[in-house]
Amino acid sequence: MSGTSSAPGGRDARRVPAPRHHDPAGPGIDPEELPDGLVIADEDGQVVYFNSAAARITAVRPEDALGQYLEKALPLEDLEGRRWWQLTDPYGGLATRVRQPERNLLLPGGREVLVSAQYIRGEPTGPVRRVVVCLRDTEARRRTERSHAELIATVAHELRSPLTSVKGFTATLLAKWERFTDDQKRLMLETVDADANRVTRLIAELLDISRIDSGRLEVRRQPVDMGAAVGRHIQAYVAAGQLADRFLLRIEQPLPALWADPDKVDQVLSNLLENAVRHGEGTVTIEVTPAASPRETENADSTDDTATSVTVSDEGSGIPEESMNRVFTRFWRGSKRGGTGLGLYIVKGIVEAHGGTITVGRAPGGGAEFRFTLPAGTPAYLA
């Protein structure tokens, strides 16, 4: 890389004013306000601008970088240990090259940064006048990668147990079918069936997460009787052995006509009631009431009951205040382990896909209280 020990034209690189991009409709944008690191080198390869974000990302002080050659101020290496500026050679490389796409590079000490570069030429195929380098921290990407790794580990763990059980029972039945009584065979097959259902539910959760994260969760709206839907879930718990007087259902009439996806509404109710039954104590209270649409909550004068609200509360120990803001995140399991910790994350995604809202708080009886509100959501062709 060519250049002299001093800045071109005898000027002091430390005094080069920060470049500003002017908007004809408004004031110039100060590069110091950019969230990404910005480094600019002149035609001789010397750094003439080094913003504060670049200093934060690289841990290099601007006064130490200004006036230095680019390869010395930013001694970047690729993931194979090769010096990046020697490979790319922006000043002596192909005259048709105008940019370097973003990629992961390493700073001294092994810290990863995302780097892209733009080569500014006075004319096409002419010499490079400036090299503009953009630096981005990889912390957000690392958090995403850690989240994906944790999801994979959780799924692998959750799948291993039921699949091991299914494999064990089926192998035993095939090898020793004649040795078991009908009751023993039935018990084994019932266990296999339950474990297969558990695997199916886990796969459905993964598909829901994929659709929620990509914004592709489909809502197939139909008329839904929320009171009847809650009643069916309570009856299922009673049939499974729960005491009927553990549940208290209150329905305030008249409820607005609700159009929602009945399967996804059942999924939300199932998750919230299961949490209350399994992790809560005492009476589980479910209240179904008309409410103002979540889209109208900003209008304090609105009194139209165009939504349905469902509140599920228990009388257990509740959720600690410091955990309230993490309840709807992935893998939150509270103080009691078990499950994937994905249920409430999916519940929030389903409710928001309907245009609704969901909150968590402390119930009057001291336990947890979940409240979700769904707008009427009448299809446009019926409006």
Side-chain angles (χ1 to χ4, degrees):
M1 194 177 292
S2 63
T4 59
S5 59
S6 61
R11 54 192 169 91
D12 186 351
R14 297 174 187 268
R15 295 179 181 174
V16 174
R20 301 176 72 88
H21 304 282
H22 293 284
D23 180 356
I29 299 174
D30 186 350
E32 287 298 314
E33 299 172 353
L34 295 175
D36 295 336
L38 178 65
V39 180
I40 300 176
D42 63 14
E43 64 269 22
D44 291 318
Q46 290 180 308
V47 175
V48 296
Y49 188 71
F50 201 90
N51 75 349
S52 57
R56 172 180 54 80
I57 293 169
T58 63
V60 175
R61 297 184 304 174
E63 54 267 33
D64 293 335
L66 291 170
Q68 296 282 353
Y69 290 118
L70 188 57
E71 62 180 2
K72 185 175 181 180
L74 288 177
L76 297 165
E77 295 181 350
D78 66 13
L79 300 183
E80 297 178 2
R82 297 173 296 184
R83 294 187 179 276
W84 180 240
W85 296 117
Q86 291 180 6
L87 286 174
T88 57
D89 192 13
Y91 293 92
L94 293 174
T96 56
R97 186 178 296 167
V98 296
R99 63 186 291 270
Q100 284 290 339
E102 185 178 75
R103 63 181 299 169
N104 272 41
L105 297 175
L106 300 176
L107 289 166
R111 183 177 182 183
E112 286 190 30
V113 289
L114 295 170
V115 182
S116 58
Q118 192 81 18
Y119 304 155
I120 310 300
R121 303 177 186 273
E123 57 186 21
T125 72
V128 172
R129 298 301 184 190
R130 291 191 307 279
V131 174
V132 180
V133 182
C134 180
L135 305 172
R136 295 173 58 201
D137 199 337
T138 61
E139 181 58 33
R141 179 173 292 186
R142 284 199 296 271
R143 284 197 299 268
T144 300
E145 290 173 350
R146 284 197 298 269
S147 177
H148 289 165
E150 187 174 358
L151 178 60
I152 292 171
T154 299
V155 170
H157 174 76
E158 292 293 324
L159 283 174
R160 184 184 298 116
S161 177
L163 288 178
T164 299
S165 171
V166 168
K167 178 62 177 175
F169 279 120
T170 54
T172 301
L173 285 169
L174 288 172
K176 304 176 181 179
W177 178 265
E178 301 297 336
R179 299 186 186 181
F180 296 109
T181 66
D182 288 345
D183 288 341
Q184 289 173 325
K185 292 174 184 176
R186 176 178 294 277
L187 177 60
M188 290 184 182
L189 290 174
E190 287 175 348
T191 304
V192 168
D193 184 62
D195 286 332
N197 287 337
R198 181 176 167 190
V199 172
T200 301
R201 286 195 301 270
L202 180 59
I203 293 172
E205 285 185 349
L206 293 177
L207 291 174
D208 285 337
I209 287 174
S210 174
R211 295 182 184 114
I212 290 169
D213 289 347
S214 62
R216 294 185 293 107
L217 186 66
E218 293 185 6
V219 175
R220 303 180 186 276
R221 296 186 185 275
Q222 301 176 33
V224 172
D225 185 334
M226 186 65 78
V230 174
R232 287 195 302 273
H233 282 272
I234 293 175
Q235 290 172 7
Y237 275 105
V238 173
Q242 290 288 333
L243 296 176
D245 58 5
R246 187 176 181 189
F247 300 93
L248 175 60
L249 175 59
R250 297 174 180 154
I251 302 176
E252 181 181 333
Q253 297 288 359
L255 293 173
L258 176 64
W259 283 70
D261 188 317
D263 292 336
K264 289 182 170 55
V265 168
D266 277 341
Q267 196 172 348
V268 171
L269 293 174
S270 175
N271 195 290
L272 296 182
L273 286 171
E274 182 180 359
N275 282 345
V277 170
R278 179 179 296 181
H279 303 298
E281 297 174 6
T283 302
V284 176
T285 302
I286 307 99
E287 296 181 272
V288 183
T289 62
S293 171
R295 303 188 189 97
E296 300 173 354
T297 52
E298 296 180 359
N299 182 1
D301 296 329
S302 175
T303 58
D304 292 337
D305 293 333
T306 56
T308 297
S309 178
V310 179
T311 304
V312 179
S313 58
D314 61 72
E315 298 175 343
S317 58
I319 299 170
E321 192 69 30
E322 61 273 14
S323 298
M324 290 287 189
N325 61 341
R326 295 188 289 111
V327 166
F328 297 109
T329 60
R330 289 184 184 181
F331 310 118
W332 184 85
R333 299 183 181 92
S335 59
K336 297 181 181 179
R337 305 295 292 179
T340 60
L342 301 174
L344 290 175
Y345 177 81
I346 294 172
V347 163
K348 183 173 185 288
I350 291 174
V351 170
E352 291 181 347
H354 281 81
T357 59
I358 185 167
T359 58
V360 61
R362 186 166 294 279
E369 178 179 278
F370 290 88
R371 182 176 190 264
F372 70 92
T373 302
L374 300 181
T378 305
Y381 65 87
L382 293 176

Short mmCIF file of all heavy atoms in Angstrom, two decimals, residues 169-205:
data_model
loop_
_atom_site.label_atom_id
_atom_site.label_comp_id
_atom_site.label_asym_id
_atom_site.label_seq_id
_atom_site.Cartn_x
_atom_site.Cartn_y
_atom_site.Cartn_z
N PHE A 169 -39.99 -49.34 24.22
CA PHE A 169 -41.22 -50.12 24.32
C PHE A 169 -41.51 -50.90 23.04
O PHE A 169 -41.92 -52.06 23.09
CB PHE A 169 -42.40 -49.23 24.67
CG PHE A 169 -42.50 -48.92 26.14
CD1 PHE A 169 -42.44 -47.61 26.60
CD2 PHE A 169 -42.66 -49.93 27.06
CE1 PHE A 169 -42.52 -47.32 27.95
CE2 PHE A 169 -42.76 -49.66 28.42
CZ PHE A 169 -42.68 -48.35 28.87
N THR A 170 -41.31 -50.25 21.87
CA THR A 170 -41.59 -50.97 20.62
C THR A 170 -40.62 -52.13 20.42
O THR A 170 -41.02 -53.22 19.99
CB THR A 170 -41.52 -50.02 19.42
OG1 THR A 170 -40.25 -49.33 19.43
CG2 THR A 170 -42.64 -49.00 19.45
N ALA A 171 -39.34 -51.91 20.76
CA ALA A 171 -38.36 -52.99 20.63
C ALA A 171 -38.70 -54.15 21.57
O ALA A 171 -38.60 -55.33 21.20
CB ALA A 171 -36.96 -52.46 20.91
N THR A 172 -39.13 -53.82 22.78
CA THR A 172 -39.48 -54.86 23.76
C THR A 172 -40.71 -55.64 23.29
O THR A 172 -40.75 -56.88 23.37
CB THR A 172 -39.75 -54.22 25.13
OG1 THR A 172 -38.58 -53.53 25.55
CG2 THR A 172 -40.11 -55.28 26.16
N LEU A 173 -41.71 -54.92 22.79
CA LEU A 173 -42.92 -55.60 22.33
C LEU A 173 -42.64 -56.50 21.14
O LEU A 173 -43.17 -57.62 21.05
CB LEU A 173 -43.99 -54.57 21.96
CG LEU A 173 -44.69 -53.88 23.14
CD1 LEU A 173 -45.52 -52.70 22.64
CD2 LEU A 173 -45.57 -54.86 23.90
N LEU A 174 -41.82 -56.03 20.21
CA LEU A 174 -41.51 -56.84 19.04
C LEU A 174 -40.73 -58.10 19.42
O LEU A 174 -40.92 -59.17 18.83
CB LEU A 174 -40.72 -56.01 18.02
CG LEU A 174 -41.51 -54.93 17.27
CD1 LEU A 174 -40.57 -54.05 16.46
CD2 LEU A 174 -42.55 -55.58 16.36
N ALA A 175 -39.84 -57.96 20.40
CA ALA A 175 -38.98 -59.09 20.76
C ALA A 175 -39.68 -60.09 21.68
O ALA A 175 -39.38 -61.30 21.63
CB ALA A 175 -37.70 -58.58 21.42
N LYS A 176 -40.61 -59.62 22.51
CA LYS A 176 -41.18 -60.49 23.54
C LYS A 176 -42.71 -60.38 23.59
O LYS A 176 -43.30 -60.39 24.67
CB LYS A 176 -40.58 -60.15 24.90
CG LYS A 176 -39.06 -60.23 24.94
CD LYS A 176 -38.51 -59.80 26.29
CE LYS A 176 -36.99 -59.86 26.31
NZ LYS A 176 -36.42 -59.42 27.62
N TRP A 177 -43.33 -60.25 22.44
CA TRP A 177 -44.77 -60.01 22.39
C TRP A 177 -45.57 -61.08 23.15
O TRP A 177 -46.48 -60.76 23.90
CB TRP A 177 -45.21 -59.97 20.92
CG TRP A 177 -46.69 -59.78 20.74
CD1 TRP A 177 -47.62 -60.75 20.56
CD2 TRP A 177 -47.38 -58.54 20.70
NE1 TRP A 177 -48.87 -60.18 20.42
CE2 TRP A 177 -48.75 -58.81 20.50
CE3 TRP A 177 -46.99 -57.20 20.81
CZ2 TRP A 177 -49.71 -57.83 20.41
CZ3 TRP A 177 -47.94 -56.21 20.71
CH2 TRP A 177 -49.28 -56.52 20.53
N GLU A 178 -45.21 -62.32 22.99
CA GLU A 178 -45.98 -63.41 23.59
C GLU A 178 -45.84 -63.48 25.10
O GLU A 178 -46.65 -64.14 25.77
CB GLU A 178 -45.54 -64.75 22.98
CG GLU A 178 -45.71 -64.83 21.47
CD GLU A 178 -47.18 -64.72 21.07
OE1 GLU A 178 -48.05 -65.03 21.90
OE2 GLU A 178 -47.45 -64.30 19.92
N ARG A 179 -44.83 -62.83 25.66
CA ARG A 179 -44.59 -62.94 27.09
C ARG A 179 -45.43 -61.96 27.92
O ARG A 179 -45.48 -62.07 29.14
CB ARG A 179 -43.11 -62.68 27.40
CG ARG A 179 -42.17 -63.66 26.73
CD ARG A 179 -40.75 -63.43 27.18
NE ARG A 179 -39.80 -64.28 26.45
CZ ARG A 179 -38.49 -64.29 26.68
NH1 ARG A 179 -37.98 -63.49 27.62
NH2 ARG A 179 -37.69 -65.07 25.97
N PHE A 180 -46.06 -61.01 27.26
CA PHE A 180 -46.80 -59.98 27.99
C PHE A 180 -48.30 -60.26 27.95
O PHE A 180 -48.83 -60.79 26.96
CB PHE A 180 -46.53 -58.59 27.41
CG PHE A 180 -45.10 -58.15 27.54
CD1 PHE A 180 -44.28 -58.07 26.43
CD2 PHE A 180 -44.57 -57.82 28.78
CE1 PHE A 180 -42.97 -57.67 26.53
CE2 PHE A 180 -43.25 -57.42 28.89
CZ PHE A 180 -42.45 -57.34 27.78
N THR A 181 -48.96 -59.88 29.04
CA THR A 181 -50.41 -59.97 29.07
C THR A 181 -51.01 -58.83 28.26
O THR A 181 -50.33 -57.85 27.92
CB THR A 181 -50.92 -59.88 30.51
OG1 THR A 181 -50.63 -58.57 31.03
CG2 THR A 181 -50.26 -60.93 31.40
N ASP A 182 -52.31 -58.95 27.98
CA ASP A 182 -52.97 -57.88 27.23
C ASP A 182 -52.91 -56.55 27.97
O ASP A 182 -52.76 -55.48 27.35
CB ASP A 182 -54.42 -58.26 26.95
CG ASP A 182 -54.54 -59.38 25.92
OD1 ASP A 182 -53.54 -59.63 25.22
OD2 ASP A 182 -55.63 -59.97 25.81
N ASP A 183 -53.05 -56.58 29.30
CA ASP A 183 -53.00 -55.35 30.08
C ASP A 183 -51.62 -54.71 30.00
O ASP A 183 -51.49 -53.46 29.90
CB ASP A 183 -53.35 -55.62 31.54
CG ASP A 183 -54.84 -55.93 31.72
OD1 ASP A 183 -55.62 -55.57 30.82
OD2 ASP A 183 -55.20 -56.52 32.76
N GLN A 184 -50.58 -55.53 30.03
CA GLN A 184 -49.22 -54.99 29.92
C GLN A 184 -48.98 -54.39 28.53
O GLN A 184 -48.38 -53.32 28.40
CB GLN A 184 -48.20 -56.10 30.20
CG GLN A 184 -48.15 -56.54 31.66
CD GLN A 184 -47.25 -57.75 31.86
OE1 GLN A 184 -47.16 -58.63 31.01
NE2 GLN A 184 -46.57 -57.78 33.01
N LYS A 185 -49.48 -55.07 27.51
CA LYS A 185 -49.33 -54.54 26.15
C LYS A 185 -50.07 -53.20 26.01
O LYS A 185 -49.56 -52.25 25.40
CB LYS A 185 -49.88 -55.55 25.14
CG LYS A 185 -49.07 -56.82 25.03
CD LYS A 185 -49.78 -57.82 24.11
CE LYS A 185 -49.03 -59.14 24.06
NZ LYS A 185 -49.76 -60.15 23.25
N ARG A 186 -51.27 -53.15 26.55
CA ARG A 186 -52.05 -51.91 26.48
C ARG A 186 -51.31 -50.77 27.16
O ARG A 186 -51.25 -49.65 26.65
CB ARG A 186 -53.43 -52.12 27.09
CG ARG A 186 -54.28 -50.84 27.14
CD ARG A 186 -55.65 -51.11 27.71
NE ARG A 186 -56.41 -51.98 26.82
CZ ARG A 186 -57.08 -51.54 25.76
NH1 ARG A 186 -57.09 -50.24 25.47
NH2 ARG A 186 -57.77 -52.37 25.01
N LEU A 187 -50.75 -51.01 28.35
CA LEU A 187 -50.02 -49.98 29.08
C LEU A 187 -48.83 -49.48 28.27
O LEU A 187 -48.59 -48.27 28.19
CB LEU A 187 -49.56 -50.54 30.43
CG LEU A 187 -48.72 -49.58 31.29
CD1 LEU A 187 -49.52 -48.33 31.63
CD2 LEU A 187 -48.24 -50.28 32.56
N MET A 188 -48.08 -50.41 27.67
CA MET A 188 -46.93 -50.01 26.86
C MET A 188 -47.36 -49.19 25.66
O MET A 188 -46.75 -48.17 25.32
CB MET A 188 -46.16 -51.25 26.40
CG MET A 188 -45.41 -51.98 27.51
SD MET A 188 -44.46 -53.37 26.85
CE MET A 188 -43.78 -54.05 28.36
N LEU A 189 -48.43 -49.64 24.98
CA LEU A 189 -48.89 -48.91 23.79
C LEU A 189 -49.45 -47.54 24.16
O LEU A 189 -49.29 -46.57 23.40
CB LEU A 189 -49.93 -49.74 23.04
CG LEU A 189 -49.39 -50.99 22.35
CD1 LEU A 189 -50.53 -51.82 21.77
CD2 LEU A 189 -48.41 -50.60 21.24
N GLU A 190 -50.11 -47.45 25.31
CA GLU A 190 -50.60 -46.14 25.76
C GLU A 190 -49.43 -45.20 26.04
O GLU A 190 -49.51 -44.00 25.75
CB GLU A 190 -51.47 -46.32 27.00
CG GLU A 190 -52.85 -46.92 26.71
CD GLU A 190 -53.62 -47.19 27.98
OE1 GLU A 190 -53.01 -47.13 29.07
OE2 GLU A 190 -54.85 -47.47 27.88
N THR A 191 -48.35 -45.73 26.61
CA THR A 191 -47.17 -44.91 26.86
C THR A 191 -46.54 -44.45 25.56
O THR A 191 -46.14 -43.28 25.41
CB THR A 191 -46.13 -45.70 27.69
OG1 THR A 191 -46.74 -46.16 28.89
CG2 THR A 191 -44.93 -44.84 28.02
N VAL A 192 -46.44 -45.37 24.60
CA VAL A 192 -45.91 -45.00 23.28
C VAL A 192 -46.77 -43.92 22.64
O VAL A 192 -46.26 -42.95 22.07
CB VAL A 192 -45.83 -46.25 22.37
CG1 VAL A 192 -45.56 -45.85 20.92
CG2 VAL A 192 -44.76 -47.20 22.87
N ASP A 193 -48.10 -44.07 22.74
CA ASP A 193 -49.01 -43.09 22.16
C ASP A 193 -48.84 -41.71 22.80
O ASP A 193 -48.79 -40.69 22.11
CB ASP A 193 -50.46 -43.57 22.33
CG ASP A 193 -51.45 -42.64 21.67
OD1 ASP A 193 -51.40 -42.48 20.44
OD2 ASP A 193 -52.27 -42.05 22.40
N ALA A 194 -48.70 -41.69 24.14
CA ALA A 194 -48.52 -40.42 24.85
C ALA A 194 -47.20 -39.76 24.46
O ALA A 194 -47.13 -38.54 24.25
CB ALA A 194 -48.57 -40.66 26.35
N ASP A 195 -46.14 -40.57 24.33
CA ASP A 195 -44.84 -40.01 23.95
C ASP A 195 -44.85 -39.52 22.50
O ASP A 195 -44.22 -38.51 22.17
CB ASP A 195 -43.74 -41.05 24.15
CG ASP A 195 -43.39 -41.25 25.61
OD1 ASP A 195 -43.57 -40.29 26.39
OD2 ASP A 195 -42.96 -42.35 25.99
N ALA A 196 -45.57 -40.24 21.64
CA ALA A 196 -45.68 -39.78 20.26
C ALA A 196 -46.43 -38.45 20.19
O ALA A 196 -46.06 -37.56 19.40
CB ALA A 196 -46.40 -40.84 19.41
N ASN A 197 -47.46 -38.30 21.02
CA ASN A 197 -48.18 -37.02 21.07
C ASN A 197 -47.27 -35.90 21.56
O ASN A 197 -47.36 -34.76 21.09
CB ASN A 197 -49.39 -37.15 22.00
CG ASN A 197 -50.51 -37.96 21.38
OD1 ASN A 197 -50.59 -38.09 20.16
ND2 ASN A 197 -51.36 -38.53 22.22
N ARG A 198 -46.41 -36.24 22.52
CA ARG A 198 -45.47 -35.23 23.04
C ARG A 198 -44.52 -34.77 21.94
O ARG A 198 -44.24 -33.56 21.80
CB ARG A 198 -44.68 -35.84 24.20
CG ARG A 198 -43.69 -34.90 24.85
CD ARG A 198 -43.04 -35.60 26.04
NE ARG A 198 -41.87 -34.89 26.50
CZ ARG A 198 -41.02 -35.38 27.40
NH1 ARG A 198 -41.25 -36.57 27.93
NH2 ARG A 198 -39.97 -34.68 27.79
N VAL A 199 -44.01 -35.69 21.13
CA VAL A 199 -43.14 -35.33 20.02
C VAL A 199 -43.89 -34.47 19.01
O VAL A 199 -43.37 -33.47 18.49
CB VAL A 199 -42.57 -36.60 19.34
CG1 VAL A 199 -41.82 -36.23 18.06
CG2 VAL A 199 -41.65 -37.35 20.29
N THR A 200 -45.14 -34.84 18.73
CA THR A 200 -45.95 -34.07 17.78
C THR A 200 -46.15 -32.64 18.27
O THR A 200 -46.06 -31.68 17.49
CB THR A 200 -47.31 -34.76 17.58
OG1 THR A 200 -47.11 -36.08 17.09
CG2 THR A 200 -48.17 -33.98 16.59
N ARG A 201 -46.43 -32.49 19.58
CA ARG A 201 -46.61 -31.14 20.13
C ARG A 201 -45.33 -30.32 20.01
O ARG A 201 -45.37 -29.12 19.71
CB ARG A 201 -47.05 -31.23 21.59
CG ARG A 201 -48.50 -31.65 21.79
CD ARG A 201 -48.97 -31.37 23.20
NE ARG A 201 -48.16 -32.07 24.19
CZ ARG A 201 -48.42 -33.29 24.65
NH1 ARG A 201 -49.47 -33.96 24.17
NH2 ARG A 201 -47.66 -33.85 25.55
N LEU A 202 -44.19 -30.95 20.27
CA LEU A 202 -42.92 -30.23 20.19
C LEU A 202 -42.65 -29.77 18.76
O LEU A 202 -42.21 -28.63 18.54
CB LEU A 202 -41.79 -31.12 20.69
CG LEU A 202 -40.39 -30.51 20.67
CD1 LEU A 202 -40.35 -29.25 21.52
CD2 LEU A 202 -39.35 -31.50 21.16
N ILE A 203 -42.91 -30.63 17.80
CA ILE A 203 -42.71 -30.25 16.40
C ILE A 203 -43.65 -29.10 16.03
O ILE A 203 -43.26 -28.16 15.32
CB ILE A 203 -42.92 -31.46 15.48
CG1 ILE A 203 -41.81 -32.49 15.72
CG2 ILE A 203 -42.95 -31.04 14.01
CD1 ILE A 203 -42.04 -33.81 15.01
N ALA A 204 -44.89 -29.16 16.52
CA ALA A 204 -45.83 -28.07 16.25
C ALA A 204 -45.33 -26.76 16.86
O ALA A 204 -45.46 -25.69 16.24
CB ALA A 204 -47.20 -28.42 16.81
N GLU A 205 -44.74 -26.82 18.06
CA GLU A 205 -44.18 -25.62 18.68
C GLU A 205 -43.06 -25.04 17.83
O GLU A 205 -42.97 -23.82 17.64
CB GLU A 205 -43.65 -25.94 20.08
CG GLU A 205 -44.73 -26.12 21.14
CD GLU A 205 -44.14 -26.32 22.53
OE1 GLU A 205 -42.91 -26.51 22.63
OE2 GLU A 205 -44.89 -26.26 23.51
#
